[in-house]
Amino acid sequence: ELNEVDPTELAKTAHLHRLSALCYHALLNQELSHKESLLECLRQDHFDEARRHVQQAQAQKELSLICDDLKMPYLFFKGLQFAQYYPHAYLRSMSDLDLLINEEDRDKLNAYLIKDKYILMSKQLNEWIYKKGPIVVEVHTQLLHPSDVNTLVSDYFSKVLKQSLIDKGNYSLSNEH
């Protein structure tokens, strides 16, 4: 029963799983005896998520312009791409932006990002992680890591940029994918 929930524990758990904004929004219309204390515990994270969403959306626009400038195909996936299906986009909490590029474009994108003050934090075979201020960007050269899936699935997704649709300069996956 929600009336028996400890507001501090709810806030800690929601924060841990990055669900504060979603919980805050869900509680707004509830009839609860201690609704205000629950909302108060979640309020700051709620606004932080909204601010992070705006920052990430801006960073995604900037990264799109960079990729367009470099004349390279790219695809954002997860995170902001799913946010459009939520009642409020900032309710789709995420810690980073995921960008898929062709492997042959990685060095030119890396040079551009470094010039644009992104810091290369981690270099793995198929994923390089960059940070600029509060923004973290994972640049992938494969949608799925081959060791994570069977060969048939890996082959199916291996050329996802070539299979993606182009709509006004934006790449997106077809419904099939």
Side-chain angles (χ1 to χ4, degrees):
E1 171 97 12
L2 276 175
N3 281 317
E4 298 171 12
V5 172
D6 175 4
T8 306
E9 286 303 311
L10 174 66
K12 283 182 191 175
T13 302
H15 179 81
L16 176 68
H17 297 286
R18 300 187 69 111
L19 295 171
S20 299
L22 196 58
C23 289
Y24 182 89
H25 187 75
L27 289 170
L28 285 174
N29 298 319
Q30 298 296 317
E31 296 289 332
L32 301 170
S33 60
H34 59 293
K35 176 178 163 178
E36 285 308 313
S37 61
L38 282 169
L39 290 175
E40 185 57 39
C41 288
L42 296 167
R43 188 169 279 120
Q44 189 58 51
D45 272 359
H46 168 260
F47 290 118
D48 289 346
E49 286 299 329
R51 181 175 34 259
R52 184 178 4 265
H53 173 78
V54 170
Q55 291 170 330
Q56 288 177 327
Q58 181 61 37
Q60 182 171 324
K61 285 180 188 173
E62 291 171 4
L63 288 164
S64 292
L65 291 172
I66 290 169
C67 291
D68 289 343
D69 191 39
L70 294 172
K71 296 181 180 11
M72 56 183 272
Y74 61 93
L75 176 73
F76 287 98
F77 62 104
K78 299 190 318 187
L80 284 175
Q81 303 317 109
F82 291 120
Q84 65 184 319
Y85 300 109
Y86 284 69
H88 302 283
Y90 69 88
L91 296 176
R92 172 54 168 102
S93 179
M94 64 209 124
S95 57
D96 59 30
L97 296 172
D98 291 281
L99 175 63
L100 178 67
I101 63 168
N102 287 319
E103 190 169 351
E104 59 268 16
D105 294 326
R106 183 169 35 201
D107 289 336
K108 68 181 175 181
L109 179 61
N110 178 64
Y112 203 110
L113 292 176
I114 298 299
K115 188 176 88 174
D116 198 35
K117 309 232 185 312
Y118 279 85
I119 298 167
L120 181 57
M121 305 296 291
S122 170
K123 243 178 162 177
Q124 298 174 16
L125 181 61
N126 301 312
E127 174 187 86
W128 290 13
I129 301 174
Y130 297 86
K131 186 169 182 5
K132 181 180 179 183
I135 302 300
V136 176
V137 180
E138 292 183 3
V139 177
H140 302 263
T141 56
Q142 291 184 358
L143 190 59
L144 302 172
H145 193 281
S147 66
D148 294 339
V149 293
N150 68 42
T151 306
L152 182 63
V153 172
S154 182
D155 288 347
Y156 183 72
F157 284 104
S158 65
K159 296 181 175 54
V160 74
L161 282 177
K162 290 183 178 133
Q163 297 168 344
S164 64
L165 307 172
I166 302 175
D167 177 29
K168 298 180 187 170
N170 297 315
Y171 287 81
S172 61
L173 291 177
S174 66
N175 289 336
E176 178 184 358
H177 296 94

